[in-house]
Amino acid sequence: MIVTSAGKNRSPGGTRPMKSEIVFDPNLNESDHYEGCQTNHTPTTPAPQPSGLTRATMWSDDVEEYYRFQMAGYRDLREYCHVQGVSGGEVCRWPHNGYIKMLRSRKGAFIYFNRDRECADKDLHKCKIFNYNDSCNGQ
């Protein structure tokens, strides 16, 4: 995962960011749009509240999805769409596997994810799977 935010560590002997380094990109403006991946939206209604949660015990594509949203500071796709004012189809994804490619964090930074699995087995216990009372499954 690479995040565009302010970072201090650099790869040894170079200016290229390390894999999980946070780097501010001064060339990004609020007016720049990335094909539905960025909006300037302030929600007027509260986000839908989950009725319960469970922790992930085994990795799956759904767990990977939840993990990426939670790394950006959101519970799941439902909360991300509510806060950012986008529909579920406007989330940037990798074309070959459908994993999330880029999200906008709550702090306004852009978070870029790798093509492959990001949620390591040691991080599974950190991933929360939220349940909602309505007929949707949170995505």
Side-chain angles (χ1 to χ4, degrees), residues 112-126:
Y112 297 92
F113 296 98
N114 293 326
R115 297 175 190 199
D116 300 322
R117 177 179 171 177
E118 292 253 344
C119 182
D121 286 338
K122 67 179 183 176
D123 295 327
L124 281 174
H125 71 281
K126 297 177 186 177

Side-chain angles (χ1 to χ4, degrees), residues 29-50:
N29 297 321
E30 287 295 321
S31 62
D32 294 340
H33 291 279
Y34 291 89
E35 297 182 29
C37 295
Q38 172 187 3
T39 63
N40 295 323
H41 176 265
T42 304
T44 56
T45 60
Q49 295 299 313

